[in-house]
Amino acid sequence: MARGLGVRASRFAPGAGGTSLSLNFTAGSLDSSITFTRASSGTRFNSAGTLVTETTNVARFDYNPSTLAALGLLMEEARTNLCLQSEVFGTTWVPTLASISSNAIAAPDGNTTADKLVEDATVTNTHLDVQSLTFTAAAHTFSVFAKAAERTWIRLIIFDGTTAFAAYFNIGSGAVGTITGAATATIQTINTGYYRCVLTATTLAAAGNVAIRLATADNGDTYTGNGSSGAYLWGAQVEAAAFATSYIATTTIAVTRALDVATI
């Protein structure tokens, strides 16, 4: 993604002092000389740190969701969220030795649509939510917004049928823990207590899955559950690319956000 903080362009004519054009993309509106298009809706963070959706052909002026600093005009390539039911973790997703408490708390967009992944009481095992996917031979990025409840660690996994790429995330302090496989991981702070956890790996072209495991600590996703503890989840996304972009909501099919185009 790209954000424009400002640009100054000058055009000079022979025998004249020249003209200049000054554009400030942190002002929250576009100069009349700019034409903006995007053939779909798109999301951004507003000045309060809330995730909001802009409709087709509306420019997105983004803010840092932690510091609330203006980031400028958000310009992104087209991307598709391959993960279905991005906000409903009990449909298409399969909870394993766990259950889903639906619409448990407010999500990053302010609506009460974040689910809680709750462990069962199984002894010495993993407690997770998993979704099957078919990967291409390319980089894939799996991300989710997570908020601590009784559990302050989660583990994200991309499994391409051969290799499990994974990373632990401390969703209490905002730190990345142990990474396994040839993967990279980052975590982004959201000012509402959420963190966007991001895992990237290059997969084979094969059937596999993505999974979210609860954990008690770094390297601690195998444990005896108590039947009530868990963590809050919202906004799962899988992109066939090497980095995450703005959130794209899905239900029963994959959804594409169109390219942002600004011309003078």
Side-chain angles (χ1 to χ4, degrees):
M1 70 182 70
R3 295 179 177 90
L5 295 180
V7 63
R8 184 176 178 86
S10 297
R11 177 172 56 85
F12 295 94
T19 59
S20 66
L21 175 65
S22 183
L23 302 175
N24 179 7
F25 289 115
T26 63
S29 61
L30 289 178
D31 186 88
S32 59
S33 64
I34 297 175
T35 299
F36 179 87
T37 59
R38 185 186 58 253
S40 72
S41 61
T43 62
R44 67 176 179 96
F45 285 99
N46 67 15
S47 60
T50 301
L51 191 75
V52 295
T53 299
E54 301 293 357
T55 57
T56 300
N57 294 328
V58 175
R60 295 176 292 163
F61 292 90
D62 206 17
Y63 290 78
N64 184 305
S66 175
T67 67
L68 308 184
L71 297 176
L73 178 64
L74 178 56
M75 299 290 294
E76 295 182 302
E77 62 195 80
R79 285 290 184 88
T80 299
N81 185 358
L82 304 171
C83 187
L84 306 186
Q85 300 294 349
S86 62
E87 300 173 16
V88 184
F89 290 86
T91 302
T92 303
W93 295 87
V94 180
T96 305
L97 303 184
S99 62
I100 297 297
S101 177
S102 300
N103 302 329
I105 62 168
D109 66 354
N111 295 313
T112 306
T113 53
D115 291 350
K116 185 179 183 183
L117 177 61
V118 181
E119 65 199 37
D120 72 4
T122 301
V123 174
T124 316
N125 218 310
T126 56
H127 309 268
L128 65 150
D129 209 9
V130 62
Q131 182 174 147
S132 297
L133 284 174
T134 299
F135 297 101
T136 56
H140 285 77
T141 297
F142 176 30
S143 61
V144 67
F145 293 89
K147 186 174 184 176
E150 299 81 11
R151 298 303 177 200
T152 59
W153 286 86
I154 62 170
R155 191 185 192 196
L156 298 189
I157 302 172
I158 297 173
F159 178 60
D160 66 0
T162 300
T163 303
F165 307 95
Y168 284 88
F169 299 87
N170 186 330
I171 56 173
S173 67
V176 175
T178 300
I179 301 172
T180 55
T184 59
T186 60
I187 191 166
Q188 179 188 26
T189 303
I190 314 297
N191 78 341
T192 53
Y194 281 90
Y195 293 92
R196 192 181 193 191
C197 304
V198 182
L199 174 68
T200 300
T202 299
T203 63
L204 300 175
N209 60 61
V210 292
I212 306 166
R213 292 185 182 182
L214 296 169
T216 57
D218 191 20
N219 290 308
D221 67 347
T222 299
Y223 64 94
T224 299
N226 61 21
S228 60
S229 294
Y232 300 107
L233 306 173
W234 187 83
Q237 188 153 303
V238 177
E239 301 168 73
F243 59 92
T245 62
S246 62
Y247 173 59
I248 305 163
T250 66
T251 53
T252 57
I253 60 172
V255 175
T256 297
R257 182 197 60 247
L259 171 73
D260 293 296
V261 179
T263 57
I264 300 177

